[in-house]
């Protein structure tokens, strides 16, 4: 790499690591913990690429992007942030950041993006911004797992395009919320957002009525997989002849439309008209680490609605995390709201969670696939789904280590439970050295004391 990189981050370790890595790659580096200093460097004409954190002691990195664009048009800014929400991804896209990476970031991945930014200094035409006064305080989309971060970035990328969007995922995962977020933060946000179902398009006048309602805004076709062949043909004609005010078309589906395509249940021409960009919304089983964050979100929302303040005990939260949630986020929200109403004290206990979950739909195996499916086949299926979640992009670098951790953590936890927390027995059961087991317990942050208590 050849060029000068300006690094702004209040974490000294990150500044040191980036300075060393970029210098070894052949770049000149100026690093600072101050946005004021960064902006002075930019005004002085220094730097070919900027790498900036969002939350800094003297300001917000995202708020500096318009000023940077004004002072130095075409200067690429890569935003890195520990505030890993969809709002951060969308704000970064709206502020015309060159790229956005959530922390903790993968260093080789960041280096590749920096090299690309140095090679492509000319930026695309600015996209329209959402005025701050129009932006809601929060979006009802919560999640910090890699799968959700990838989804947020795809949402930000397709937001201000005219591509039709197909949003696929199980019932209760938040497909309609994703569609609404894309509309509310797009150039069409001041125009209508209209949701139609198969019944709305059943008669011959259905499409024209829908187009009259949407008036060039966003038309969401809910559960396109449930639409019969006659209505599918009507939708194709509606997309091809939208009239004077062309809306943006989006659709949701619980079913795998590629399989429906193979079976002949979905017309090819309809599928290709709707799948300009495909977003796969992960199930809650695929983002278990988000459950505490989601539960806290729903508890706070209930409190804002006038319900009593509640919190989940550690045991209660562990049970929530171990449940398979066949109804996904919607089921979790309903369960939390019921717990708020039925719990006897401020702290919700494990037994109270057991009572509420006991009335939920039957638990399903997290890996699924039935008792006869081999573990390797089940893992392969879920790995393919993980790759599919990223669409045309590859998953973030470091996949091998992440997958190993996902397997090691439950394996060691279950083995410790089975051996009553006896590390010697556990090491023998796993066939590894006891010192190796101790190191893995430390590295994976496994609570050995709690494992004993569970027995």
């Amino acid at each position: 790499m050849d060029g000068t990189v300006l690094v702004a981050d209040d974490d000294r370790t990150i500044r040191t690591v980036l300075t060393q890595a970029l210098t070894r790659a052949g770049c000149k580096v100026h690093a600072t913990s101050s946005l004021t200093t960064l902006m002075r460097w930019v005004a002085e004409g220094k730097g070919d690429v900027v790498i900036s954190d969002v939350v800094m002691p003297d300001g917000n990195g995202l708020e500096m992007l318009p000023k940077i664009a004004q002072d130095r048009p075409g200067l690429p800014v890569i935003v890195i942030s520990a505030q890993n929400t969809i709002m951060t991804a969308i704000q970064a896209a709206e502020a015309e950041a060159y790229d956005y990476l959530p922390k903790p970031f993968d260093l080789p991945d960041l280096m590749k993006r920096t090299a690309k930014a140095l090679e492509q200094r000319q930026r695309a035409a600015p996209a329209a911004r959402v005025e701050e006064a129009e932006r809601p305080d929060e979006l009802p989309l919560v999640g910090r797992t890699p799968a959700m971060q990838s989804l947020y970035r795809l949402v930000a990328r397709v937001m201000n395009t005219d591509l039709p969007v197909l949003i696929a995922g199980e019932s209760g995962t938040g497909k309609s919320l994703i569609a609404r977020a894309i509309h509310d933060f797009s150039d069409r946000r001041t125009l209508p957002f209209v949701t139609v179902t198969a019944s709305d398009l059943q008669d011959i006048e259905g499409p024209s009525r829908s187009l009259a309602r949407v008036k060039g805004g966003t038309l969401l076709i809910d559960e396109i997989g449930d639409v019969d062949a006659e209505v599918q043909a009507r939708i194709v004609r509606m997309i091809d002849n939208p009239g004077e005010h062309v809306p943006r078309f989006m659709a949701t589906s619980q079913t795998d439309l590629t399989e429906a395509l193979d079976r002949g249940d979905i017309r090819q021409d309809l599928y290709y008209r709707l799948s300009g960009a495909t977003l796969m919304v992960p199930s809650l089983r695929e983002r278990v680490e988000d459950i505490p964050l989601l539960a806290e979100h729903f508890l706070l929302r209930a409190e804002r609605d006038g319900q009593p303040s509640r919190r989940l005990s550690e045991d209660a939260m562990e049970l929530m995390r171990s449940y398979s949630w066949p109804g996904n986020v919607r089921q979790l929200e309903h369960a939390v709201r019921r717990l708020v109403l039925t719990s006897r004290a401020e702290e919700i206990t494990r037994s109270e969670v057991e009572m509420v979950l006991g009335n939920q739909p039957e638990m399903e195996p997290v890996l699924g696939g039935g008792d006869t499916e081999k573990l390797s086949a089940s893992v392969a299926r879920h790995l393919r789904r993980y790759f599919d979640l990223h669409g045309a992009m590859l998953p973030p670098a470091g996949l091998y280590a992440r997958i190993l951790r996902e397997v090691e953590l439950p394996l060691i936890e279950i083995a410790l439970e089975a051996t009553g927390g006896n590390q010697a027995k556990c090491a023998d059961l796993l066939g590894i050295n006891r010192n190796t087991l101790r190191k893995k317990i430390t590295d994976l942050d496994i609570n050995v004391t709690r494992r004993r208590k569970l027995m």
Side-chain angles (χ1 to χ4, degrees):
M1 286 191 285
D2 182 24
T4 301
V5 181
L6 308 181
V7 176
D9 199 297
D10 60 344
D11 188 319
R12 178 178 295 182
T13 301
I14 289 178
R15 293 199 306 272
T16 302
V17 168
L18 288 180
T19 298
Q20 292 175 348
L22 290 165
T23 301
R24 283 197 299 268
C27 294
K28 295 179 181 178
V29 183
H30 297 290
T32 179
S33 61
S34 166
L35 280 178
T36 303
T37 302
L38 172 66
M39 295 307 294
R40 176 168 54 80
W41 288 342
V42 170
E44 291 171 353
K46 295 179 180 177
D48 300 302
V49 171
V50 174
I51 299 175
S52 177
D53 194 4
V54 173
V55 179
M56 298 281 280
D58 56 346
N60 184 298
L62 288 174
E63 294 173 359
M64 297 296 105
L65 291 181
K67 176 65 172 170
I68 293 174
Q70 179 183 336
D71 292 350
R72 298 276 302 282
L75 179 64
V77 181
I78 299 174
V79 173
I80 55 177
S81 175
Q83 292 187 321
N84 303 333
T85 68
I86 190 170
M87 281 299 301
T88 308
I90 288 177
Q91 287 171 347
E94 289 172 349
E96 301 165 19
Y98 176 84
D99 213 335
Y100 159 73
L101 278 82
K103 289 182 179 179
F105 55 81
D106 179 76
L107 182 58
D109 184 34
L110 177 56
M111 295 293 287
K112 288 179 183 177
R113 293 171 191 270
T114 305
K116 186 177 178 182
L118 286 168
E119 293 170 2
Q120 302 174 359
R121 299 183 187 184
Q122 295 302 318
R123 302 187 48 159
R129 294 186 182 91
V130 176
E131 296 300 323
E132 193 66 32
E134 298 174 2
R135 182 181 288 122
D137 292 335
E138 62 177 351
L139 287 173
L141 293 165
V142 178
R144 294 177 180 167
T145 52
M148 290 303 291
Q149 289 303 307
S150 177
L151 178 61
Y152 294 163
R153 292 178 65 185
L154 287 173
V155 166
R157 288 181 179 181
V158 304
M159 186 173 57
N160 278 319
T161 70
D162 290 326
L163 282 173
V165 178
L166 176 61
I167 307 170
E170 296 178 9
S171 176
T173 51
K175 299 185 295 295
S176 296
L177 295 179
I178 294 287
R180 185 78 211 203
I182 293 172
H183 172 82
D184 287 347
F185 287 81
S186 74
D187 298 339
R188 300 176 189 260
R189 62 188 176 278
T190 59
L191 299 172
F193 177 87
V194 176
T195 301
V196 296
T197 62
S199 60
D200 295 312
L201 304 171
Q202 199 67 49
D203 67 85
I204 197 166
E205 297 298 326
S208 59
R209 284 198 303 268
S210 300
L211 290 171
R213 289 171 58 200
V214 74
K215 299 175 182 176
T218 299
L219 184 64
L220 175 66
I221 305 169
D222 191 39
E223 292 307 327
I224 191 69
D226 295 339
V227 177
D228 63 36
E230 183 180 350
V231 176
Q232 287 181 38
R234 202 166 287 147
I235 294 172
V236 169
R237 290 193 293 271
M238 176 177 66
I239 294 173
D240 287 346
N241 301 283
E244 182 181 357
H245 302 290
V246 181
R248 182 178 197 171
F249 292 98
M250 290 197 277
T252 64
S253 176
Q254 291 183 38
T255 59
D256 186 339
L257 289 189
T258 56
E259 293 182 4
L261 194 62
D262 292 338
R263 295 193 305 267
D265 294 339
I266 290 287
R267 291 171 57 120
Q268 265 194 351
D269 51 2
L270 176 60
Y271 175 77
Y272 291 119
R273 279 167 173 78
L274 289 175
S275 58
T278 301
L279 306 182
M280 297 294 298
V281 186
S283 68
L284 196 53
R285 298 182 301 282
E286 295 169 296
R287 45 183 294 221
V288 174
E289 297 304 318
D290 283 333
I291 289 176
L293 189 67
L294 285 160
E296 180 65 23
H297 175 78
F298 294 135
L299 288 171
L300 291 174
R301 179 187 285 178
E303 187 176 346
R304 287 198 301 268
D305 291 344
Q307 300 299 327
S309 175
R310 294 286 186 264
R311 68 177 185 275
L312 286 154
S313 70
E314 191 177 341
D315 282 350
M317 184 62 78
E318 182 170 336
L319 181 58
M320 299 276 275
R321 285 167 52 90
S322 66
Y323 186 55
S324 66
W325 300 107
N328 290 295
V329 179
R330 185 184 297 122
Q331 183 192 5
L332 173 61
E333 180 179 12
H334 291 168
V336 169
R337 285 192 171 273
R338 184 172 176 188
L339 286 166
V340 169
L341 294 173
T342 59
S343 62
R344 298 183 180 88
E346 182 178 353
E347 184 174 84
I348 299 170
T349 65
R350 181 185 178 97
S351 61
E352 288 172 328
V353 173
E354 286 175 343
M355 290 182 63
V356 167
L357 294 185
N359 293 324
Q360 298 292 333
E362 190 70 22
M363 286 180 66
E364 300 173 356
V366 173
L367 289 178
D371 295 336
T372 60
E373 183 178 33
K374 291 183 178 180
L375 178 61
S376 59
S378 182
V379 171
R381 181 162 48 82
H382 282 268
L383 285 174
R384 288 193 189 96
R385 178 72 185 277
Y386 178 70
F387 272 81
D388 290 342
L389 286 172
H390 294 79
M393 300 171 56
L394 289 174
L399 179 61
Y400 184 79
R402 288 200 304 277
I403 296 300
L404 283 185
R405 181 184 175 90
E406 289 287 335
V407 174
E408 273 192 320
L409 180 60
L411 174 62
I412 294 174
E413 286 183 334
I414 292 169
L416 282 168
E417 288 178 15
T419 55
N422 187 311
Q423 293 185 28
K425 288 183 179 180
C426 182
D428 185 57
L429 174 65
L430 294 171
I432 60 177
N433 184 278
R434 188 173 179 182
N435 290 332
T436 302
L437 176 63
R438 286 174 178 164
K439 185 176 186 305
K440 289 186 178 294
I441 288 172
T442 301
D443 292 344
L444 297 170
D445 195 25
I446 296 172
N447 191 327
V448 180
T449 305
R450 276 203 48 73
R451 294 292 146 194
R452 293 197 187 101
K453 287 180 179 178
L454 289 172
M455 297 302 293

